[in-house]
C-alpha cells in the first residue's frame, strides 16, 4: 500500500493539474526548471537486470526537439534501491546525458536478484526525478511466479486523453507491453481533442518533439513509472503504412526519415544497447522470459515486410487476388522468421506470447455477400502465417498472439486449415479513433461470418492478463470516453485459455 500511495502521489502532481482542467488543453510551454518533466521509465526486464531510462527536458515542447537543454553533456546520477524510500540502495552510478542522444539516459543493469521488485530515481544538478518501480523476471525455470501483463497500442495525442494509461498503472502489472503506434507522425487535425506541438514528423527534431510531448503526459508518466515496459513499433512510429524501404507517399528520401524515427524511438524508449539503431536499421525483434511460465517474443512486422499484395497499397480490403498467397511472401523477413522458429523450438515455458502489430487471424471484413481481406495484416502474407502456424503445431507451442493496430478489441482463434492452433488477443487503442462504441451496427454480422472470432469491443482501453502454468486469464478493459479525462475502466470481456487447448473460454 505504501508503494502505491508513494508512487501515485509522486506521479500525480502534474496529473492533478491537467485533470483539473478538462477543457481542451492548449499547447503550453512548461516552466524552465525541472529537467525531469518527461518522467522515468524502465524496460527489457531479465532475471538479473533491466534498463532504467530518463530523458532530460526543461522545455519539452521546444521546437528543435532538444527539450530546452543546453548543447553540452549533463551529468546524471542514478540509484536503484530495494525500497521506495531509498534506505537500502543496492546500486548507484552516473551517466552523461548527451545532446547527440537528446539528453536521454539508458542504464543497462545486470547482476541483480531474480524475481525482485526495485525502485529507482535520477538526479541532475539539485533536481531529483520522480521514483519509478521496476522488477526483474523470475529465475530461469521458476514455475510458481505468475505473470501479470497488460498490453496496449495506438496512443494518438490529438485523439484524446491517455486515461487508459492511468487505469493500466492502477492495476500495478508486473510488465507492460506496448504493441505499436506509441506516437503518431501525423500533422495537425482540424478539431483535435488536445493540441499537439509541431506538424507532421519528417526529421529528427520532429520525432523527438513528438516523443517528448507524449512522455510529458501525466498519464503516460504514471504508466512508465509503475512497471517495466517492452515496446515494439508499428507504422505511425515512422510513417502511416510504411512497408520495408517504402513510404506511404512519395516524399523526402524514406530511409533518412526512417533513420530519424528510429533514432528518436531508441532515445525515448527504455531499450537495451542491442536495440541501438545503425542508420535506418534497428533490430527490434527479441524475447523476454518469465521463468517457466512465459516467453514473450516481440516481433517487427514493418521493417522487413514485402510490399502490399494485390493493390500495392496498404490497408485495402479489395477483391481477392492470388498475390497474397504467393509462397515467397513474408511479413517478418527470412531472418526474423528463422529466429522465431528457433525461439519456439527451444522454448521451455508453458506459454509463448507473440507481441506484434497487425491482425494475424483470417478475417473477412465484407458484410454479407462476397469476401474481403485486408492486405496490411497477415492475410496479405498468407505464406508467412502458414510457416508460423506450422511451427506452432510442430513444436506444440501454447501460442497466444498479442496484437494492436485496429483500434478495437478482438479475440479469436488462429487456424491452420480448419484446426485452431493459437489464440489471438487484439487490444484496442489508448485514444486513436476517439471514444468509439461497445458495438457497431455491423459487429454482429462480422462475428457471425467469422465464427473463429469470439469477441469485439469498440471502446478505448487495454488488455490485462494473468498467466500461470495452469491457465491464462484475460480481461478486456474498456473506457467510455477519452475525449474528456478521468473515465473509469470496465471489463467488457473475460476469457480463460488453457495450455494444450487453443480456445477462448468465457471466464
Ligand atoms: Fe494505430
Amino acid at each position: 500500500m505504501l508503494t502505491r500511495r508513494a508512487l501515485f502521489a509522486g506521479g500525480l502532481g502534474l496529473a492533478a493539474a491537467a485533470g483539473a482542467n478538462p477543457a481542451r488543453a492548449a499547447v503550453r510551454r512548461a516552466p524552465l526548471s525541472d529537467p525531469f518533466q518527461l518522467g522515468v521509465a524502465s524496460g527489457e526486464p531479465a532475471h538479473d537486470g533491466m534498463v532504467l531510462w530518463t530523458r532530460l527536458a526543461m522545455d519539452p515542447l521546444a521546437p528543435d526537439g532538444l527539450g530546452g537543454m543546453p548543447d553540452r553533456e549533463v551529468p546524471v546520477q542514478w540509484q536503484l534501491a530495494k525500497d521506495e524510500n531509498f534506505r537500502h540502495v543496492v546500486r548507484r552510478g552516473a551517466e552523461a546525458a548527451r545532446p547527440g542522444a537528446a539528453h536521454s539516459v539508458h542504464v543497462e543493469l545486470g547482476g541483480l536478484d531474480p524475481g525482485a521488485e526495485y525502485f529507482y530515481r535520477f538526479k541532475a544538478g539539485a533536481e531529483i526525478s520522480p521514483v519509478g518501480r521496476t522488477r526483474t523476471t523470475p529465475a530461469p525455470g521458476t514455475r510458481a511466479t505468475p505473470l501479470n501483463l497488460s498490453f496496449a497500442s495506438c496512443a494518438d495525442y490529438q485523439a484524446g486523453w491517455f486515461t487508459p494509461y492511468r487505469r493500466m498503472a492502477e492495476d500495478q502489472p508486473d510488465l507492460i507491453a506496448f504493441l505499436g503506434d506509441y506516437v503518431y507522425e501525423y500533422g495537425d487535425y482540424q478539431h483535435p481533442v488536445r493540441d499537439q506541438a509541431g506538424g507532421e514528423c519528417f526529421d529528427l527534431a520532429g520525432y523527438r518533439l513528438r516523443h517528448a510531448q507524449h512522455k510529458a503526459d501525466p498519464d503516460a508518466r504514471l504508466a512508465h513509472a509503475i512497471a517495466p515496459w517492452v515496446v515494439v513499433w508499428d507504422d505511425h512510429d515512422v510513417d502511416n503504412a510504411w512497408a520495408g524501404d517504402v513510404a506511404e507517399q512519395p516524399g523526402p528520401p524514406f530511409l533518412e526519415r526512417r533513420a530519424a524515427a528510429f533514432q528518436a524511438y531508441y532515445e525515448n524508449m527504455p531499450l537495451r544497447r542491442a536495440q541501438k539503431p545503425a542508420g535506418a536499421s534497428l533490430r527490434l525483434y527479441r524475447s523476454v522470459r518469465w521463468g517457466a511460465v512465459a516467453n514473450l517474443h516481440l516481433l517487427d512486422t514493418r521493417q522487413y515486410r514485402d510490399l502490399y499484395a494485390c493493390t500495392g497499397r496498404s490497408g485495402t480490403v479489395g477483391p481477392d487476388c492470388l498475390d497474397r498467397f504467393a509462397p515467397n511472401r513474408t511479413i517478418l523477413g527470412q531472418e526474423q522468421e528463422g529466429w522465431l522458429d528457433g525461439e519456439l523450438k527451444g522454448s521451455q515455458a508453458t506459454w509463448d506470447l507473440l507481441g506484434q502489430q497487425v491482425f494475424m487471424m483470417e478475417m473477412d471484413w465484407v458484410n454479407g455477400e462476397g469476401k474481403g481481406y485486408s492486405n496490411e495484416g497477415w492475410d496479405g502474407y498468407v505464406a508467412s502465417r502458414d510457416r508460423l502456424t506450422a511451427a506452432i503445431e510442430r513444436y506444440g507451442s501454447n501460442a497466444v498472439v498479442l496484437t494492436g493496430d485496429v483500434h478495437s478489441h478482438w479475440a479469436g482463434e488462429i487456424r491452420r486449415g480448419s484446426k485452431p492452433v493459437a489464440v489471438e488477443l487484439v487490444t484496442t487503442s489508448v485514444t486513436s479513433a476517439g471514444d468509439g462504441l461497445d458495438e457497431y451496427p455491423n459487429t454482429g454480422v462480422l462475428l457471425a461470418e467469422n465464427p473463429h472470432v469470439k469477441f469485439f469491443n469498440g471502446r478505448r482501453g487495454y488488455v490485462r492478463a494473468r498467466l500461470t502454468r495452469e491457465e491464462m486469464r484475460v480481461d478486456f478493459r474498456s473506457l467510455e470516453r477519452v475525449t474528456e479525462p478521468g473515465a473509469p475502466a470496465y471489463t467488457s470481456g473475460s476469457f480463460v485459455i488453457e495450455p494444450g487447448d487453443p480456445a477462448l473460454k468465457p471466464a
Side-chain angles (χ1 to χ4, degrees):
M1 288 315 288
L2 197 61
T3 295
R4 177 186 301 174
R5 197 182 319 125
L7 270 175
F8 280 82
L12 275 169
L14 270 168
N21 177 13
R24 184 175 142 184
V27 174
R28 210 159 7 95
R29 303 283 286 273
L32 297 168
S33 52
D34 176 9
F36 293 109
Q37 295 176 51
L38 308 188
V40 300
S42 71
E44 305 298 300
H47 68 274
D48 64 345
M50 76 291 286
V51 173
L52 310 179
W53 174 94
T54 193
R55 177 184 160 200
L56 307 181
M58 294 193 294
D59 182 9
L61 303 186
D64 63 2
L66 293 172
M69 294 298 294
D71 187 23
R72 59 173 169 79
E73 287 187 12
V74 177
V76 177
Q77 295 164 282
W78 56 268
Q79 290 181 322
L80 183 83
K82 286 276 191 188
D83 65 306
E84 65 200 299
N85 298 314
F86 293 84
R87 291 203 184 92
H88 186 187
V89 173
V90 292
R91 294 288 185 87
R92 65 181 81 231
E95 296 274 327
R98 298 190 170 87
H103 292 95
S104 63
V105 176
H106 295 75
V107 180
E108 196 168 337
L109 293 175
L112 301 175
D113 296 338
E117 186 180 58
Y118 290 97
F119 298 86
Y120 61 97
R121 64 185 177 186
F122 299 88
K123 188 177 177 194
E127 301 287 332
I128 296 175
S129 77
V131 174
R133 165 191 180 252
T134 189
R135 56 168 302 146
T136 51
T137 65
T142 304
R143 303 162 74 94
T145 312
L147 166 59
N148 294 292
L149 167 73
S150 288
F151 57 97
S153 76
C154 297
D156 185 343
Y157 195 90
Q158 296 187 79
W161 297 79
F162 291 164
T163 323
Y165 279 155
R166 173 168 301 262
R167 300 297 169 240
M168 195 162 64
E170 286 165 354
D171 295 337
Q172 300 192 64
D174 299 317
L175 181 65
I176 291 173
F178 197 86
L179 303 175
D181 293 356
Y182 182 84
V183 296
Y184 278 70
E185 88 289 9
Y186 284 148
D188 298 346
Y189 297 165
Q190 270 194 328
H191 302 290
V193 176
R194 296 195 289 174
D195 285 345
Q196 69 178 13
E200 183 168 352
C201 305
F202 286 106
D203 58 12
L204 190 51
Y207 289 108
R208 280 172 165 169
L209 170 55
R210 187 61 40 85
H211 274 279
Q213 187 166 28
H214 282 239
K215 280 289 187 313
D217 177 275
D219 296 326
R221 284 179 45 155
L222 204 56
H224 281 291
I226 203 71
W229 283 45
V230 290
V231 299
V232 283
W233 54 44
D234 196 12
D235 54 337
H236 290 290
D237 300 284
V238 180
D239 171 37
N240 181 45
W242 67 285
D245 298 348
V246 180
E248 182 192 25
Q249 310 267 356
F254 180 61
L255 287 184
E256 285 174 31
R257 185 180 186 182
R258 195 174 99 176
F262 285 10
Q263 173 68 21
Y265 194 82
Y266 173 77
E267 288 170 354
N268 286 280
M269 293 296 185
L271 291 167
R272 291 181 183 271
R273 281 183 292 272
Q275 275 67 53
K276 214 168 183 172
S281 300
L282 188 158
R283 180 174 157 156
L284 199 57
Y285 61 87
R286 64 208 188 275
S287 295
V288 168
R289 308 188 195 288
W290 198 270
V293 172
N295 287 330
L296 170 54
H297 312 292
L298 286 315
L299 310 184
D300 177 356
T301 62
R302 285 285 161 195
Q303 196 174 176
Y304 316 105
R305 68 160 65 199
D306 287 322
L307 271 181
Y308 300 105
C310 308
T311 61
R313 296 197 53 87
S314 69
T316 42
V317 177
D320 211 352
C321 79
L322 291 175
D323 291 10
R324 65 188 189 93
F325 299 96
N328 58 340
R329 283 179 60 71
T330 175
I331 194 170
L332 296 178
Q334 250 188 17
E335 215 177 298
Q336 185 176 195
E337 281 195 19
W339 164 83
L340 180 57
D341 189 277
E343 285 291 312
L344 294 174
K345 186 178 184 179
S347 179
Q348 307 272 334
T350 300
W351 300 99
D352 281 289
L353 307 176
L354 279 64
Q356 57 102 43
Q357 295 79 29
V358 290
F359 237 76
M360 190 181 285
M361 54 191 163
E362 188 179 70
M363 186 74 197
D364 166 20
W365 294 98
V366 171
N367 271 214
E369 282 295 292
K371 293 189 185 302
Y373 300 88
S374 165
N375 64 357
E376 191 156 356
W378 292 68
D379 269 337
Y381 303 81
V382 173
S384 248
R385 184 172 59 203
D386 285 347
R387 289 188 290 272
L388 176 55
T389 53
I392 288 169
E393 252 200 324
R394 187 159 62 240
Y395 306 130
S397 312
N398 296 307
V400 178
V401 179
L402 317 178
T403 302
D405 181 51
V406 289
H407 309 166
S408 39
H409 284 317
W410 298 84
E413 293 154 11
I414 299 169
R415 293 182 173 179
R416 177 165 178 74
S418 58
K419 186 182 163 200
V421 296
V423 167
E424 183 168 18
L425 308 169
V426 182
T427 182
T428 189
S429 60
V430 173
T431 54
S432 306
D435 291 339
L437 293 169
D438 289 303
E439 282 190 23
Y440 287 90
N442 66 349
T443 299
V445 181
L446 274 179
L447 292 175
E449 293 184 357
N450 294 278
H452 57 290
V453 181
K454 310 292 183 189
F455 174 71
F456 171 86
N457 181 273
R459 300 281 192 190
R460 307 291 72 86
Y462 61 97
V463 180
R464 177 172 78 190
R466 180 176 173 84
L467 294 96
T468 65
R469 284 173 60 89
E470 287 71 46
E471 62 174 25
M472 176 171 181
R473 301 187 76 88
V474 182
D475 292 328
F476 286 89
R477 302 284 287 164
S478 298
L479 285 77
E480 268 183 22
R481 76 193 69 79
V482 291
T483 49
E484 292 166 20
Y490 59 95
T491 297
S492 51
S494 288
F495 297 94
V496 176
I497 309 159
E498 285 162 2
D501 184 9
L504 288 151
K505 293 167 187 152

